[in-house]
Amino acid sequence: MRLELRGITKKFGSLTANDRIDLVVEPGQIHCLLGENGAGKSTLMNVLFGLLQADEGEILIDGEPVRLANSGDAVRRGIGMVHQHFMLVPVFSVAENVVLGFEPTRSLDRLDYARAREDIRSVSREFGLEVDPDVTVESLPIGLQQRVEIIKALGHDAQLLILDEPTAVLTPQEADALMAIMRSLTATGKSILFISHKLKEVRHVSDVITVIRAGRVIGTVPPTASENELAAMMVGREVSLVVDKTAAAPREPVLEVRDLVVRDDRGLAVVDGVSLAVRAGEIVALAGVQGNGQTELVEAITGLRHVESGSVLLGGRDVTNRSPREILDAGLGHIPEDRQRDGAVLSMSVADNLVLNTPRRAPFARHGTRNLRAVRDNAETQVESFDVRTSSVDAPLSSLSGGNQQKVIVARELSRPLEALVASQPTRGLDVGSIEYVHREIVRVRDEGHAVLIVSSELDEVMALGDRVAVMFQGRITGVVDPSTSREDVGLLMTGSTPAESR
Amino acid sequence: MTTVAADVTVRPPLGRTQAIGWFVVVVGLFTVFGMGVGTGSAPHSTLTFTPIDVSHGAPWHLGNLTLPTEWTLVLLGALIVALGAEVLVRRLVKGAMVRVGLMAIVFLVAVLVWASRQPGPSQVPFINVTAILVGSAAITMILIYGSLSGILCERAGVVNIAIEGQFLGGYLVGEMIDSATNNWLLATVGGLVIGALMGWLLAFLAIRYLSDQIIVGVVIVTMFTGLSSYFNSWVLTPYPNLNNGNIASNLAIPGLMKIPIIGPTFFDETGFFYLMMILVGLVSFALFKTRWGLRVRAVGEHPQAAASVGISVERTRYVNVILGGAVAGVGGVAFAAIQGQFTPSITSGFGYIALAAMIFGRWRPSGAVAACTLFGVSAYLAYNLQSYQVPISTEILLMFPYLITIAVSAGLVGRVRPPAADGIPYSRE
């Protein structure tokens, strides 16, 4: 299918989310739409998928102008979308999810499961996407759930697939598998519109890259363009893509865990005898495929989860199973994995969020009443020095972009005396500019002589930021290696095997 | 702007399952030693099986069954202990709920056996099994109408806490129409309409204005409680012939009603009872076997996903909440058909018990039927145990369904998992 967008403009009040966007996707092509968060990518996709109506401009499919009033129209025209947050019902089977909305039926409106299964099998066979139609979706790993989304789109006979930030939730291996699938799909003549802000994968898989910024097309370039070029187009200025840091000068251990055993909600020991020491003045990066106990390890360190056995030491003090309050007061900074759920209160103001961890302390409170003046002054200072883009310190945090929300959390955690910092997925979902900023701040904390533990499922980040890289697999540390170790070897540790040289 | 529903699966840790197991064991031991051992060899308990109302002909006669009280209690207690031991040994998590339900039933039987022992304090020297089942069936029927209503709404993602109000509405309108026309069919249509209207009101506020469904539901109940009381004093009191309190007569099914115990319970009932049985099958089938049901459940689990394939979330919810209201309205008429005259607040919380049964039954018609039966029997006994001189007051026994519901919702027993989007207003960005 050849898709052409001509002069698409979409306004929300005074904000122009899309400003005269032109775009052509040729048949059999992987066309990447590259842009920072908030650049207007999602709005454009929603217009294309019939979820929003453009104020101006037209959509042409194979040269013919079409009107897409809802997503049903888009699907009938052969457009399929794989959403970033999967549109799958977790408790339904794969078959039920795939046929939803287009169900084959027998008499009395009964679902024809036999036909549904057969349809899925034939799509599976045709495109090499194996999946059991009868398992419930929630029991599948994320990568397979995404495969179900793709099958769903193909099952509705999509000729153009929109993939909205498809690799954001995937492990490196799953991402590689997805790239292979995308290639095999275009080989059969399907077109793919691929949305991303990850430069590496974009250059790796695309045939054409269109960069948009602030709702406008900045340019269309071939994948041979350098990462620096692309980043500059996205952000509008030169950005540094490598983490600038000197060699670490580690001193005594500050944050230590010894033989730690932690159970998850199901009662399984997901942290199974972990020992790790983070020294003052170094960054230890914890790598691993998500779900191998990293989350629970961090929760145990920060007092959010009960420690079954073993101990956590902070600055030589035993803080095992202390309350989060005591642990924070002992000098632990924590940037949580899910910033919107655990890191901040979205409905509260920027100023209040900046004192969430010290609300009872002078100068922010006295005799049990809050000192709003001090809270405000603090906020003004922090917003200034951490370059938080907000209309005012009284604006609710939810009105800020993801990157700026993260800056608020970083500012809060770093603006008090620290012993150690624990940061989980500190740059997840952030754009290039914000990533650069957060990385610089983390390195600064290290250079001030604090111990830093980073947990990230982005291998690039782990290798760039860590002074030492610890790899976790099934609740255990499978190796602690130097960041100069090859990606392949770290990848092997992430799957539990031991490369010859790392032992 | 929609909140991503947190993981609402309630999964009790192993320690809690063990506590449940021990609790069941303790109840069993109490049955053995607290009630059984020590009653001596003299007392006997007698079971009879002849229904009280034999106007449509009696079933084939079953003789009385006289049991030694002590040994029967020991046996029943041992059965409960075995249930508890099973939970402990097999570490049942999912099955714990069913075991607790079974325990409750066995324990109720044990209480009856104990209470009716002769010689003993009881004024009633026997247990009429058939009469208890027939009486319980009436209450159970009302509860099932309510539960089905709740299931229809909540499977589509709208909490219908207004069932109590819809019962009241159906009761009032049904009673008036029947009094005026002497026709329960017309009364049913009236109840259906008023229930549907009240469902529409809930849907309108919940879907159009994204209001908190629980608050809206409570408001509807409160409003209708007041409105119907007002109506009672200004219309029904001056015109008592609009509230004549006739009850519906039974339509006995020839042949089947001759079966002892089962016949009088299931086949010598009002039309409302048969309608309820048909509805249970119909809702089960529609919800889990048809395209319609798949779409409804998708809307209740993940409305965004449903919308992304062109299903109208709003329309689905409207239709289901109105349907649910209609079912509860008919339930109100059924209530009037077995209870008679309307008085203010006559439904006395049955709508809430029905909702509790829906939760205990895990949002499934079959489960709800089981839970309603348990709650129906216990409610019936609560009203009737006095005659056996049981030293527990009715009010305490009537708390039973709520206690169970608290235990279940808090994840103390088994695990319940409501539809993921239940109670969450849906808006398109």
Side-chain angles (χ1 to χ4, degrees):
Chain A
M1 179 200 284
R2 183 178 193 273
L3 173 84
E4 185 172 356
L5 303 181
R6 277 191 201 154
I8 297 288
T9 300
K10 178 71 190 173
K11 290 182 180 148
F12 297 106
S14 61
L15 176 82
T16 307
N18 288 161
D19 190 1
R20 284 161 292 159
I21 297 226
D22 296 323
L23 188 75
V24 180
V25 186
E26 301 289 349
Q29 201 181 48
I30 299 181
H31 192 125
C32 176
L33 194 61
L34 182 68
E36 293 201 286
N37 292 325
K41 293 174 300 196
S42 299
T43 305
L44 188 63
M45 290 312 103
N46 286 337
V47 167
L48 183 49
F49 198 56
L51 295 167
L52 291 173
Q53 308 308 315
D55 300 323
E56 283 165 45
E58 55 180 357
I59 301 171
L60 291 88
I61 291 177
D62 293 328
E64 180 198 340
V66 293
R67 228 184 70 78
L68 306 170
N70 57 50
S71 48
D73 280 358
V75 171
R76 273 185 287 280
R77 294 282 182 177
I79 300 175
M81 180 144 173
V82 174
H83 299 261
Q84 186 180 358
H85 302 288
F86 301 148
M87 291 298 168
L88 297 173
V89 179
V91 295
F92 281 10
S93 71
V94 169
E96 289 170 330
N97 268 295
V98 171
V99 298
L100 185 66
F102 303 86
E103 305 86 346
T105 52
R106 298 181 291 159
S107 59
L108 289 172
D109 200 40
R110 276 174 304 163
L111 290 168
D112 189 345
Y113 280 102
R115 238 184 79 196
R117 274 186 212 108
E118 197 34 58
D119 290 353
I120 291 169
R121 292 219 178 86
S122 76
V123 173
S124 292
R125 264 196 308 275
E126 189 178 347
F127 301 100
L129 302 168
E130 278 314 312
V131 63
D132 178 359
D134 291 319
V135 294
T136 46
V137 161
E138 64 184 345
S139 67
L140 293 174
I142 300 288
L144 277 182
Q145 292 191 11
Q146 188 172 57
R147 185 174 287 193
V148 176
E149 277 274 64
I150 294 172
I151 292 174
K152 193 165 128 183
L154 296 173
H156 302 157
D157 212 21
Q159 294 305 313
L160 172 85
L161 272 183
I162 306 171
L163 303 176
D164 187 5
E165 307 241 357
T167 58
V169 290
L170 299 185
T171 65
Q173 291 89 335
E174 286 173 332
D176 289 345
L178 175 68
M179 306 280 166
I181 291 172
M182 287 166 64
R183 293 225 175 276
S184 71
L185 287 176
T186 48
T188 67
K190 311 262 184 205
S191 321
I192 291 177
L193 190 53
F194 172 59
I195 303 172
S196 182
H197 60 243
K198 293 188 189 172
L199 301 171
K200 217 172 231 117
E201 64 186 32
V202 162
R203 292 185 60 237
H204 178 63
V205 78
S206 309
D207 296 314
V208 183
I209 301 168
T210 294
V211 183
I212 67 172
R213 184 173 80 229
R216 287 208 184 97
V217 173
I218 298 301
T220 298
V221 294
T224 47
S226 76
E227 285 190 28
N228 281 323
E229 255 175 87
L230 290 172
M233 285 172 80
M234 260 167 90
V235 184
R237 63 181 165 87
E238 290 298 322
V239 285
S240 152
L241 291 173
V242 288
V243 179
D244 243 344
K245 66 181 174 104
T246 52
R251 301 194 309 274
E252 77 288 351
V254 173
L255 177 65
E256 274 184 275
V257 296
R258 290 182 189 159
D259 304 320
L260 205 67
V261 177
V262 181
R263 292 187 187 279
D264 70 358
D265 298 335
R266 293 164 300 173
L268 304 172
V270 283
V271 176
D272 195 5
V274 165
S275 296
L276 187 68
V278 186
R279 295 170 291 178
E282 76 165 347
I283 298 174
V284 173
L286 190 61
V289 177
Q290 255 205 307
N292 276 288
Q294 302 98 313
T295 305
E296 288 81 4
L297 175 63
V298 169
E299 286 175 345
I301 291 174
T302 51
L304 294 168
R305 186 174 284 276
H306 182 77
V307 173
E308 181 95 359
S309 66
S311 54
V312 180
L313 287 92
L314 182 60
R317 246 181 82 195
D318 190 340
V319 293
T320 317
N321 283 332
R322 294 304 174 82
S323 72
R325 158 109 275 135
E326 286 176 275
I327 294 173
L328 293 189
D329 286 347
L332 187 75
H334 178 210
I335 300 172
E337 180 178 322
D338 186 339
R339 62 174 160 270
Q340 302 204 330
R341 201 187 68 188
D342 303 325
V345 183
L346 290 181
S347 55
M348 276 168 37
S349 69
V350 171
D352 284 343
N353 270 293
L354 279 166
V355 295
L356 267 190
N357 54 355
T358 44
R360 290 188 274 185
R361 277 229 194 124
F364 304 128
R366 240 180 327 190
H367 313 308
T369 49
R370 302 187 64 201
N371 181 349
L372 295 177
R373 167 133 225 140
V375 170
R376 215 192 142 79
D377 289 347
N378 169 66
E380 303 279 7
T381 322
Q382 302 288 3
V383 163
E384 176 76 33
S385 65
F386 283 82
D387 189 28
V388 178
R389 307 282 168 81
T390 173
S391 54
S392 117
V393 297
D394 299 318
L397 197 68
S398 55
S399 68
L400 274 60
S401 72
N404 281 302
Q405 289 175 2
Q406 187 73 332
K407 280 183 186 174
V408 169
I409 295 170
V410 170
R412 180 184 73 210
E413 296 302 322
L414 301 190
S415 61
R416 64 194 179 96
L418 284 187
E419 291 275 341
L421 173 71
V422 175
S424 283
Q425 318 288 359
T427 58
R428 173 177 286 173
L430 301 191
D431 51 64
V432 184
S434 305
I435 290 174
E436 181 192 18
Y437 181 86
V438 171
H439 282 173
R440 263 210 319 266
E441 284 302 317
I442 288 172
V443 172
R444 185 177 65 79
V445 172
R446 178 201 78 168
D447 291 343
E448 285 169 5
H450 304 303
V452 180
L453 177 65
I454 301 292
V455 179
S456 176
S457 46
E458 300 268 354
L459 205 48
D460 290 335
E461 175 163 56
V462 163
M463 305 303 265
L465 213 49
D467 297 315
R468 288 192 294 151
V469 175
V471 185
M472 205 164 167
F473 174 70
Q474 292 190 348
R476 296 208 163 100
I477 304 268
T478 47
V480 179
V481 298
D482 191 83
S484 62
T485 311
S486 72
R487 289 172 65 95
E488 286 67 35
D489 284 350
V490 175
L492 280 175
L493 286 170
M494 285 166 75
T495 58
S497 8
T498 316
E501 54 185 284
S502 69
R503 273 286 155 113
Chain B
M1 80 147 279
T2 43
T3 4
V4 178
D7 187 5
V8 283
T9 312
V10 180
R11 194 173 231 213
L14 289 173
R16 214 178 280 170
T17 309
Q18 292 207 322
I20 304 281
W22 283 115
F23 171 73
V24 175
V25 169
V26 167
V27 170
L29 292 176
F30 172 77
T31 311
V32 174
F33 296 104
M35 303 198 299
V37 175
T39 41
S41 56
H44 282 67
S45 307
T46 306
L47 307 182
T48 67
F49 303 96
T50 314
I52 297 166
D53 174 16
V54 288
S55 53
H56 297 97
W60 296 307
H61 183 71
L62 277 186
N64 295 346
L65 182 61
T66 302
L67 301 165
T69 305
E70 184 172 23
W71 285 110
T72 308
L73 288 173
V74 169
L75 206 69
L76 293 173
L79 193 62
I80 296 177
V81 171
L83 284 171
E86 193 194 0
V87 172
L88 287 174
V89 173
R90 293 177 54 196
R91 299 187 158 235
L92 294 173
V93 173
K94 237 177 157 172
M97 222 153 137
V98 176
R99 302 308 184 288
V100 170
L102 287 174
M103 175 208 78
I105 290 168
V106 178
F107 184 70
L108 282 173
V109 172
V111 168
L112 276 174
V113 168
W114 176 78
S116 66
R117 68 192 185 277
Q118 291 295 325
S122 172
Q123 292 159 352
V124 190
F126 53 81
I127 310 164
N128 188 333
V129 175
T130 308
I132 288 174
L133 290 178
V134 170
S136 304
I139 298 178
T140 303
M141 167 186 77
I142 306 295
L143 294 179
I144 290 176
Y145 273 109
S147 286
L148 287 180
S149 165
I151 289 170
L152 283 170
C153 299
E154 299 207 6
R155 279 289 180 176
V158 180
V159 174
N160 181 7
I161 212 163
I163 296 170
E164 177 77 2
Q166 290 154 352
F167 270 176
L168 212 52
Y171 199 122
L172 177 68
V173 170
E175 178 62 28
M176 284 171 59
I177 294 179
D178 178 66
S179 297
T181 65
N182 205 17
N183 185 335
W184 283 109
L185 201 62
L186 284 180
T188 304
V189 173
L192 190 141
V193 170
I194 184 80
L197 282 174
M198 293 173 75
W200 172 83
L201 179 64
L202 172 65
F204 179 70
L205 294 171
I207 297 166
R208 177 73 176 277
Y209 294 109
L210 312 176
S211 321
D212 185 305
Q213 298 162 5
I214 293 179
I215 294 178
V216 171
V218 169
V219 165
I220 290 177
V221 174
T222 314
M223 185 183 81
F224 218 82
T225 307
L227 209 61
S228 61
S229 300
Y230 173 83
F231 209 76
N232 184 56
S233 11
W234 289 93
V235 179
L236 299 188
T237 310
Y239 302 100
N241 55 341
L242 279 180
N243 191 9
N244 64 15
N246 284 346
I247 60 170
S249 49
N250 286 0
L251 307 166
I253 298 179
L256 288 175
M257 62 149 297
K258 289 282 186 196
I259 307 166
I261 308 174
I262 294 172
T265 311
F266 293 98
F267 303 113
D268 185 5
E269 290 283 356
T270 61
F272 292 102
F273 193 89
Y274 305 127
L275 177 62
M276 174 276 288
M277 292 206 279
I278 293 168
L279 275 177
V280 169
L282 203 62
V283 172
S284 266
F285 171 79
L287 219 40
F288 296 107
K289 296 277 183 250
T290 69
R291 171 172 67 178
W292 177 84
L294 188 74
R295 292 182 172 190
V296 166
R297 287 183 290 133
V299 166
E301 294 283 350
H302 194 333
Q304 289 79 12
S308 78
V309 290
I311 297 169
S312 165
V313 175
E314 288 90 348
R315 213 185 66 188
T316 307
R317 290 192 166 176
Y318 265 112
V319 167
N320 272 56
V321 176
I322 291 171
L323 271 180
V327 168
V330 173
V333 182
F335 210 150
I338 58 168
Q339 182 85 2
Q341 268 188 347
F342 179 87
T343 53
S345 300
I346 179 108
T347 52
S348 59
F350 273 59
Y352 299 115
I353 300 182
L355 212 57
M358 175 199 71
I359 295 171
F360 194 32
R362 297 182 203 179
W363 287 265
R364 289 174 167 277
S366 54
V369 167
C372 288
T373 307
L374 177 62
F375 292 174
V377 172
S378 66
Y380 176 81
L381 291 178
Y383 289 118
N384 293 281
L385 270 183
Q386 257 80 22
S387 50
Y388 291 100
Q389 305 288 313
V390 175
I392 317 172
S393 76
T394 309
E395 287 75 16
I396 296 283
L397 282 169
L398 278 178
M399 280 163 45
F400 174 70
Y402 299 110
L403 287 178
I404 285 260
T405 308
I406 290 172
V408 168
S409 319
L412 293 176
V413 188
R415 66 182 207 164
V416 289
R417 183 177 190 175
D422 199 6
I424 302 169
Y426 169 78
S427 68
R428 299 180 238 188
E429 242 82 30

